[in-house]
Amino acid sequence: MEFIPDARNSDLPDWLTSEHDMGTSIMAVQFKDGVVMGADTRTSTGQYISNRASDKITPLHDRIFVCRSGSAADTQAIAGYVSFYLDLHANEIGELPLVRTSAALVQQLSYNNKAHLLAAMIIAGWDPHNGGEVWEVTLGGSRVKLPWTISGSGSTYIYGFCDSTYKPDMTKEECLQFVQKALTLAMDRDGSSGGFIRTVVISKSGVEYDTLIGNKHHKFSEV
């Protein structure tokens, strides 16, 4: 149900009348043995920061995660449906599902409901047939496989940095540094991104979670 202010509440602040939104910076990079995913943690409702420590990297299955940007409600709903379908699919095939299968499910839900959803998502992970993969599903439901990708409101500030910094066949440590530096730059420039940085490394050996709090962010300027 959509909340529409009437004459009695038209003077309410925007944080009471706006949709719960994730103006955000999200990113994923493929390396030889898996993928690195990262995201800021700020969630806003209008001009109000409603959560400064949200988790935008959501598990879809044991080795597959999604970075969410757009409407928090829309992206959580999609992630919930896909996670349910993947559990059924994994039981049917008797092994871990493919990353591309997860991306296809996200795309199908996004495209079929594109008039009603505000969701841009990055699906990444590891599977036993294709190794580490990164897929992006854009607003409207287009799907593309990439070696690295960024999305969210903060991404517009860091395309130049990412283009000049990325190189093929980076190690896990290089990818972590790449993601952390890129998200630090995005958070410095984008008012809708902030909080701290969460990272997830997914590979055959498992899943590694980490956080980078504000005083540990990379310093590019003293200003």
Side-chain angles (χ1 to χ4, degrees), residues 112-131:
N112 289 342
N113 300 279
K114 60 185 176 183
H116 310 287
L117 298 177
L118 181 64
M121 309 174 79
I122 299 172
I123 303 92
W126 180 92
D127 65 63
H129 295 280
N130 302 302

Side-chain angles (χ1 to χ4, degrees), residues 13-48:
D14 62 354
W15 57 270
L16 283 177
T17 60
S18 297
E19 184 178 4
H20 200 54
D21 179 64
M22 294 194 300
T24 186
S25 299
I26 57 177
M27 184 173 183
V29 186
Q30 177 183 351
F31 64 96
K32 179 182 177 182
D33 300 314
V35 295
V36 176
M37 306 180 76
D40 76 308
T41 60
R42 177 175 292 177
T43 302
S44 57
T45 307
Q47 298 296 316
Y48 175 71

Side-chain angles (χ1 to χ4, degrees), residues 78-212:
I78 293 171
Y81 278 118
V82 172
S83 179
F84 173 74
Y85 292 144
L86 286 178
D87 281 340
L88 295 178
H89 179 59
N91 286 331
E92 289 175 344
I93 64 176
E95 63 178 6
L96 293 173
L98 301 179
V99 180
R100 64 180 58 202
T101 300
S102 309
L105 287 169
V106 172
Q107 179 197 26
Q108 186 176 37
L109 288 167
S110 298
Y111 182 79
N112 289 342
N113 300 279
K114 60 185 176 183
H116 310 287
L117 298 177
L118 181 64
M121 309 174 79
I122 299 172
I123 303 92
W126 180 92
D127 65 63
H129 295 280
N130 302 302
E133 288 188 335
V134 174
W135 294 81
E136 181 176 7
V137 176
T138 64
L139 290 170
S142 296
R143 173 170 53 109
V144 60
K145 183 177 181 290
L146 298 161
W148 65 271
T149 188
I150 53 179
S151 189
S153 57
S155 65
T156 57
Y157 298 92
I158 58 173
Y159 272 101
F161 171 81
C162 292
D163 284 336
S164 63
T165 304
Y166 173 78
K167 59 182 185 290
D169 301 320
M170 289 197 295
T171 65
K172 181 181 77 171
E173 290 72 23
E174 288 174 328
C175 286
L176 271 170
Q177 289 289 309
F178 178 35
V179 168
Q180 291 171 352
K181 287 181 179 180
L183 292 177
T184 297
L185 286 170
M187 292 162 63
D188 282 348
R189 297 296 182 184
D190 178 35
S192 296
S193 300
F196 55 93
I197 297 171
R198 296 185 191 272
T199 59
V200 177
V201 180
I202 310 146
S203 63
K204 181 180 180 180
S205 59
V207 179
E208 304 170 35
Y209 300 89
D210 200 5
T211 58
L212 191 69

